[in-house]
Amino acid sequence: MIDHSSESMIQAMSAKGLRITEQRRTLARLFADAVGFLNPKDVYLGLALKHPGLSYDTVYRNLRILQEMGILEQFLFEDGVKFRMGCYGSHHHHHHMICLECHTIIPLEFCPMHNLEIPDTFQIVRHSFEVYGYCEKCRKQDLAQVVSA
């Protein structure tokens, strides 16, 4: 089980050599308390309440740094980029299936890259693989709404 508390995120930041500022503590609490994903504007608004004068640049820089360190995970939705606490407690490479309705995340415990034929002339430096759809619960709710209409 992965610990998604603000303290675990602060410990992960510290272990990666980040200085733990009051803004980063607030950021950790914001993500620990979040239900689902946060976009950069959500993060900015959540931090600006406690830290007036905070710039969007500072928010974006911290989100990028934390994503590059694996502390936050970045996902691309139709309405833009969103973040959530990463699976930094998971020490193996994996991907996700994400419900577009309730934002439930189901880890894929394998990497589809192993099944691809990559030309020797192409050097891969990173990859991303996420599957977006609807979980069983949301599909059943949608079906129930159609039937009752």
Side-chain angles (χ1 to χ4, degrees), residues 4 20 23 26 28-29 56 70 73 77 80 87 98 105 127 146:
H4 278 161
I20 306 303
Q23 287 179 353
T26 304
R29 282 191 295 276
Y56 272 114
E73 289 180 305
F77 287 88
C87 300
I98 303 164
I105 294 179
H127 70 275
V146 170

Side-chain angles (χ1 to χ4, degrees), residues 47-87:
L47 290 174
L49 292 172
K50 247 186 139 173
H51 305 283
L54 181 72
S55 72
Y56 272 114
D57 286 344
T58 300
V59 170
Y60 280 109
R61 185 173 49 255
N62 275 281
L63 290 173
R64 182 182 42 75
I65 289 167
L66 294 172
Q67 185 265 325
E68 287 172 357
M69 293 179 156
I71 294 169
L72 291 179
E73 289 180 305
Q74 175 180 303
F75 297 90
L76 182 59
F77 287 88
E78 289 176 356
D79 60 346
V81 172
K82 295 183 182 180
F83 296 85
R84 75 170 189 115
M85 276 190 174
C87 300

Side-chain angles (χ1 to χ4, degrees), residues 91-106:
H91 297 292
H92 66 281
H93 178 76
H94 66 281
H95 299 280
H96 307 94
M97 292 187 294
I98 303 164
C99 179
L100 293 167
E101 183 69 29
C102 69
H103 293 164
T104 294
I105 294 179
I106 302 165

Side-chain angles (χ1 to χ4, degrees), residues 8-145:
S8 69
M9 187 170 170
I10 290 166
Q11 289 171 1
M13 286 189 279
S14 181
K16 301 275 187 171
L18 280 181
R19 192 166 59 90
I20 306 303
T21 63
E22 195 53 42
Q23 287 179 353
R24 287 189 176 134
R25 286 185 185 282
T26 304
L27 181 81
R29 282 191 295 276
L30 188 66
F31 275 98
D33 293 343
V35 176
F37 300 85
L38 297 174
N39 65 37
K41 184 178 179 180
D42 296 330
V43 175
Y44 173 78
L45 294 173
L47 290 174
L49 292 172
K50 247 186 139 173
H51 305 283
L54 181 72
S55 72
Y56 272 114
D57 286 344
T58 300
V59 170
Y60 280 109
R61 185 173 49 255
N62 275 281
L63 290 173
R64 182 182 42 75
I65 289 167
L66 294 172
Q67 185 265 325
E68 287 172 357
M69 293 179 156
I71 294 169
L72 291 179
E73 289 180 305
Q74 175 180 303
F75 297 90
L76 182 59
F77 287 88
E78 289 176 356
D79 60 346
V81 172
K82 295 183 182 180
F83 296 85
R84 75 170 189 115
M85 276 190 174
C87 300
Y88 50 84
S90 173
H91 297 292
H92 66 281
H93 178 76
H94 66 281
H95 299 280
H96 307 94
M97 292 187 294
I98 303 164
C99 179
L100 293 167
E101 183 69 29
C102 69
H103 293 164
T104 294
I105 294 179
I106 302 165
L108 292 173
E109 298 300 333
F110 66 93
C111 179
M113 290 292 291
H114 302 298
N115 297 326
L116 295 178
E117 291 185 27
I118 310 292
D120 292 336
T121 57
F122 191 81
Q123 179 187 6
I124 298 172
V125 293
R126 71 180 177 280
H127 70 275
S128 172
F129 182 81
E130 315 309 329
V131 178
Y132 296 89
Y134 297 97
C135 69
E136 183 179 13
K137 183 179 117 190
C138 291
R139 283 193 351 261
K140 284 181 180 178
Q141 287 175 351
D142 191 43
L143 183 59
Q145 289 174 354

